[in-house]
Short mmCIF file of all heavy atoms in Angstrom, two decimals:
data_model
loop_
_atom_site.label_atom_id
_atom_site.label_comp_id
_atom_site.label_asym_id
_atom_site.label_seq_id
_atom_site.Cartn_x
_atom_site.Cartn_y
_atom_site.Cartn_z
N GLY A 191 145.18 98.73 102.37
CA GLY A 191 144.74 100.01 101.80
C GLY A 191 143.35 100.44 102.33
O GLY A 191 142.99 101.57 102.37
N GLU A 192 142.57 99.44 102.84
CA GLU A 192 141.29 99.73 103.34
C GLU A 192 141.20 99.86 104.86
O GLU A 192 140.09 100.10 105.43
CB GLU A 192 140.31 98.59 102.95
CG GLU A 192 140.25 98.28 101.46
CD GLU A 192 139.85 99.47 100.68
OE1 GLU A 192 138.71 100.02 100.93
OE2 GLU A 192 140.64 100.00 99.96
N SER A 193 142.31 99.72 105.51
CA SER A 193 142.39 99.70 106.96
C SER A 193 142.02 101.11 107.57
O SER A 193 142.39 102.15 107.00
CB SER A 193 143.81 99.26 107.45
OG SER A 193 144.03 98.06 107.09
N THR A 194 141.36 101.03 108.72
CA THR A 194 141.05 102.25 109.48
C THR A 194 142.03 102.27 110.67
O THR A 194 142.14 101.31 111.48
CB THR A 194 139.63 102.16 110.05
OG1 THR A 194 138.83 102.09 108.94
CG2 THR A 194 139.31 103.45 110.73
N VAL A 195 142.83 103.32 110.72
CA VAL A 195 143.76 103.51 111.88
C VAL A 195 143.44 104.95 112.36
O VAL A 195 143.97 105.97 111.77
CB VAL A 195 145.20 103.39 111.51
CG1 VAL A 195 146.07 103.60 112.70
CG2 VAL A 195 145.51 102.02 110.88
N GLY A 196 142.53 105.04 113.32
CA GLY A 196 142.11 106.34 113.80
C GLY A 196 142.88 106.78 115.07
O GLY A 196 143.66 105.98 115.59
N SER A 197 142.54 107.96 115.51
CA SER A 197 143.33 108.52 116.65
C SER A 197 143.03 107.73 117.89
O SER A 197 143.93 107.65 118.80
CB SER A 197 142.89 110.00 116.79
OG SER A 197 141.54 110.13 116.97
N GLU A 198 141.83 107.12 118.04
CA GLU A 198 141.51 106.33 119.18
C GLU A 198 142.41 105.13 119.30
O GLU A 198 142.94 104.85 120.39
CB GLU A 198 140.06 105.86 119.10
CG GLU A 198 139.35 105.59 120.34
CD GLU A 198 137.84 105.31 120.05
OE1 GLU A 198 137.13 106.22 119.52
OE2 GLU A 198 137.51 104.13 120.27
N LEU A 199 142.65 104.45 118.19
CA LEU A 199 143.59 103.31 118.27
C LEU A 199 144.97 103.78 118.56
O LEU A 199 145.68 103.17 119.43
CB LEU A 199 143.49 102.54 116.92
CG LEU A 199 144.56 101.36 116.79
CD1 LEU A 199 144.23 100.30 117.79
CD2 LEU A 199 144.38 100.77 115.35
N LEU A 200 145.38 104.86 117.90
CA LEU A 200 146.77 105.35 118.07
C LEU A 200 147.01 105.71 119.61
O LEU A 200 148.08 105.35 120.16
CB LEU A 200 146.99 106.62 117.25
CG LEU A 200 146.99 106.47 115.71
CD1 LEU A 200 147.11 107.80 115.01
CD2 LEU A 200 148.09 105.49 115.35
N ALA A 201 145.93 106.21 120.25
CA ALA A 201 146.06 106.64 121.65
C ALA A 201 146.31 105.43 122.54
O ALA A 201 146.81 105.57 123.68
CB ALA A 201 144.87 107.40 122.02
N GLN A 202 145.92 104.28 122.06
CA GLN A 202 146.04 103.02 122.91
C GLN A 202 147.43 102.33 122.75
O GLN A 202 147.69 101.32 123.33
CB GLN A 202 144.95 102.04 122.56
CG GLN A 202 143.55 102.56 122.91
CD GLN A 202 142.49 101.52 122.41
OE1 GLN A 202 142.41 100.44 122.94
NE2 GLN A 202 141.88 101.91 121.32
N LEU A 203 148.29 102.93 121.88
CA LEU A 203 149.49 102.32 121.53
C LEU A 203 150.69 103.21 121.87
O LEU A 203 151.26 103.92 120.98
CB LEU A 203 149.55 101.91 120.05
CG LEU A 203 148.37 101.01 119.59
CD1 LEU A 203 148.43 100.86 118.03
CD2 LEU A 203 148.50 99.65 120.28
N PRO A 204 151.05 103.29 123.17
CA PRO A 204 152.11 104.26 123.57
C PRO A 204 153.46 104.01 122.92
O PRO A 204 154.25 104.95 122.85
CB PRO A 204 152.19 104.06 125.05
CG PRO A 204 151.61 102.68 125.27
CD PRO A 204 150.58 102.45 124.24
N ALA A 205 153.79 102.73 122.54
CA ALA A 205 155.11 102.51 122.05
C ALA A 205 155.16 102.52 120.48
O ALA A 205 156.15 102.07 119.84
CB ALA A 205 155.52 101.09 122.54
N LEU A 206 154.06 102.92 119.85
CA LEU A 206 153.97 102.86 118.41
C LEU A 206 155.06 103.73 117.76
O LEU A 206 155.24 104.88 118.11
CB LEU A 206 152.60 103.25 117.98
CG LEU A 206 152.35 103.06 116.44
CD1 LEU A 206 152.20 101.61 116.15
CD2 LEU A 206 151.01 103.79 115.98
N GLU A 207 155.76 103.11 116.74
CA GLU A 207 156.84 103.90 116.08
C GLU A 207 156.55 104.11 114.60
O GLU A 207 157.07 105.02 114.00
CB GLU A 207 158.17 103.02 116.22
CG GLU A 207 158.67 102.94 117.62
CD GLU A 207 159.77 101.97 117.74
OE1 GLU A 207 160.54 101.78 116.79
OE2 GLU A 207 159.87 101.32 118.75
N MET A 208 155.73 103.17 113.98
CA MET A 208 155.48 103.40 112.53
C MET A 208 154.21 102.67 112.11
O MET A 208 153.75 101.70 112.81
CB MET A 208 156.60 102.99 111.68
CG MET A 208 156.74 101.49 111.44
SD MET A 208 157.84 101.13 110.06
CE MET A 208 156.88 101.62 108.63
N ILE A 209 153.66 103.04 110.95
CA ILE A 209 152.48 102.40 110.40
C ILE A 209 152.84 102.08 108.93
O ILE A 209 153.24 102.97 108.11
CB ILE A 209 151.25 103.29 110.35
CG1 ILE A 209 150.93 103.66 111.83
CG2 ILE A 209 150.04 102.64 109.70
CD1 ILE A 209 149.89 104.84 111.93
N SER A 210 152.85 100.81 108.52
CA SER A 210 153.11 100.38 107.20
C SER A 210 151.85 99.93 106.51
O SER A 210 151.20 98.92 106.96
CB SER A 210 154.16 99.29 107.26
OG SER A 210 154.28 98.65 105.89
N ILE A 211 151.43 100.57 105.44
CA ILE A 211 150.25 100.19 104.75
C ILE A 211 150.58 99.42 103.44
O ILE A 211 151.49 99.84 102.66
CB ILE A 211 149.39 101.53 104.39
CG1 ILE A 211 148.95 102.16 105.64
CG2 ILE A 211 148.27 101.15 103.42
CD1 ILE A 211 147.93 101.35 106.49
N PHE A 212 149.88 98.34 103.24
CA PHE A 212 150.01 97.48 102.07
C PHE A 212 148.96 98.00 101.05
O PHE A 212 147.82 97.62 101.10
CB PHE A 212 149.76 96.08 102.53
CG PHE A 212 149.66 95.00 101.44
CD1 PHE A 212 150.69 94.16 101.26
CD2 PHE A 212 148.47 94.79 100.74
CE1 PHE A 212 150.66 93.08 100.32
CE2 PHE A 212 148.44 93.79 99.77
CZ PHE A 212 149.48 92.88 99.54
N GLY A 213 149.36 98.94 100.23
CA GLY A 213 148.44 99.59 99.33
C GLY A 213 148.93 101.06 99.12
O GLY A 213 149.69 101.53 99.95
N VAL A 214 148.49 101.68 98.02
CA VAL A 214 148.87 103.12 97.82
C VAL A 214 147.93 104.03 98.52
O VAL A 214 148.32 105.09 98.98
CB VAL A 214 149.06 103.37 96.31
CG1 VAL A 214 147.76 103.41 95.55
CG2 VAL A 214 149.77 104.70 96.08
N GLY A 215 146.64 103.66 98.59
CA GLY A 215 145.67 104.53 99.21
C GLY A 215 145.75 104.30 100.76
O GLY A 215 145.91 103.19 101.23
N TYR A 216 145.81 105.43 101.49
CA TYR A 216 145.87 105.32 103.01
C TYR A 216 144.87 106.22 103.59
O TYR A 216 145.06 106.76 104.74
CB TYR A 216 147.30 105.63 103.45
CG TYR A 216 147.85 106.89 102.87
CD1 TYR A 216 147.65 108.12 103.50
CD2 TYR A 216 148.55 106.92 101.70
CE1 TYR A 216 148.11 109.31 102.94
CE2 TYR A 216 149.03 108.08 101.11
CZ TYR A 216 148.82 109.30 101.81
OH TYR A 216 149.30 110.46 101.27
N ASP A 217 143.70 106.43 102.96
CA ASP A 217 142.73 107.37 103.41
C ASP A 217 142.04 106.94 104.73
O ASP A 217 141.42 107.76 105.35
CB ASP A 217 141.60 107.61 102.31
CG ASP A 217 141.24 106.32 101.55
OD1 ASP A 217 142.10 105.91 100.72
OD2 ASP A 217 140.11 105.79 101.76
N GLY A 218 142.17 105.67 105.15
CA GLY A 218 141.67 105.23 106.47
C GLY A 218 142.54 105.53 107.60
O GLY A 218 142.22 105.39 108.82
N VAL A 219 143.80 106.00 107.32
CA VAL A 219 144.75 106.31 108.39
C VAL A 219 144.69 107.74 108.76
O VAL A 219 144.72 108.69 107.88
CB VAL A 219 146.16 105.93 107.94
CG1 VAL A 219 147.20 106.25 109.04
CG2 VAL A 219 146.28 104.49 107.50
N ASP A 220 144.65 108.04 110.01
CA ASP A 220 144.69 109.42 110.49
C ASP A 220 146.10 109.87 110.52
O ASP A 220 146.80 109.79 111.56
CB ASP A 220 144.02 109.51 111.90
CG ASP A 220 143.82 111.02 112.30
OD1 ASP A 220 144.53 111.90 111.74
OD2 ASP A 220 142.92 111.23 113.18
N VAL A 221 146.55 110.31 109.33
CA VAL A 221 147.97 110.63 109.21
C VAL A 221 148.38 111.83 110.09
O VAL A 221 149.46 111.85 110.68
CB VAL A 221 148.29 110.94 107.71
CG1 VAL A 221 149.75 111.31 107.53
CG2 VAL A 221 148.03 109.66 106.83
N ALA A 222 147.46 112.74 110.23
CA ALA A 222 147.77 113.99 111.02
C ALA A 222 148.01 113.52 112.48
O ALA A 222 149.00 113.99 113.09
CB ALA A 222 146.67 114.98 110.90
N ALA A 223 147.12 112.66 112.98
CA ALA A 223 147.29 112.19 114.39
C ALA A 223 148.56 111.42 114.54
O ALA A 223 149.27 111.55 115.53
CB ALA A 223 146.11 111.36 114.79
N ALA A 224 148.84 110.59 113.57
CA ALA A 224 150.13 109.85 113.61
C ALA A 224 151.34 110.75 113.58
O ALA A 224 152.28 110.60 114.39
CB ALA A 224 150.24 108.82 112.46
#
Side-chain angles (χ1 to χ4, degrees):
E192 303 304 297
S193 296
T194 302
V195 182
S197 54
E198 208 174 292
L199 177 60
L200 294 176
Q202 295 174 71
L203 302 173
L206 189 68
E207 295 168 31
M208 79 163 291
I209 301 169
S210 171
I211 295 297
F212 175 101
V214 69
Y216 50 88
D217 38 289
V219 179
D220 190 337
V221 177

